Amino acid sequence: REIVFYSRGDNMWQIIEEIMSEKGMNQNQLAKKMGVRNGIITDLKKGRIKAPSFQLMVKIADALGVSLDIFR
């Protein structure tokens, strides 16, 4: 698998969306894999969650199959 580096200028949602696209995953599938309601994903996308908790970030990374480091 090719290693992708994300620009520090990318916001978190852009990174999530790109990884979801690479994996052929939609928002509903992400929410289901994370074990959260779809509204959480919508809130992330719309920037309503400005500083996600560590626990939420772990769920995102696990659901996407990536390291938390990708969001640094």
Side-chain angles (χ1 to χ4, degrees):
R1 168 152 155 53
E2 180 181 329
I3 296 175
V4 178
F5 294 96
Y6 298 93
S7 163
R8 286 192 176 265
D10 289 345
N11 72 34
M12 184 182 62
W13 181 253
Q14 289 172 315
I15 295 169
I16 292 168
E17 207 164 45
E18 187 161 334
I19 297 167
M20 284 173 32
S21 176
E22 289 171 6
K23 297 183 178 281
M25 184 184 292
N26 64 37
Q27 289 178 223
N28 292 334
Q29 292 167 323
L30 177 62
K32 187 173 182 176
K33 280 188 102 169
M34 289 173 59
V36 299
R37 59 183 175 76
N38 291 341
I40 295 291
I41 305 305
T42 300
D43 288 348
L44 281 168
K45 181 177 183 176
K46 296 196 180 268
R48 292 184 198 132
I49 298 176
K50 303 265 187 242
S53 68
F54 178 75
Q55 184 180 20
L56 183 58
M57 292 306 301
V58 168
K59 286 182 179 186
I60 293 167
D62 287 349
L64 293 173
V66 298
S67 167
L68 277 173
D69 288 339
I70 207 161
F71 298 110
R72 296 181 120 211

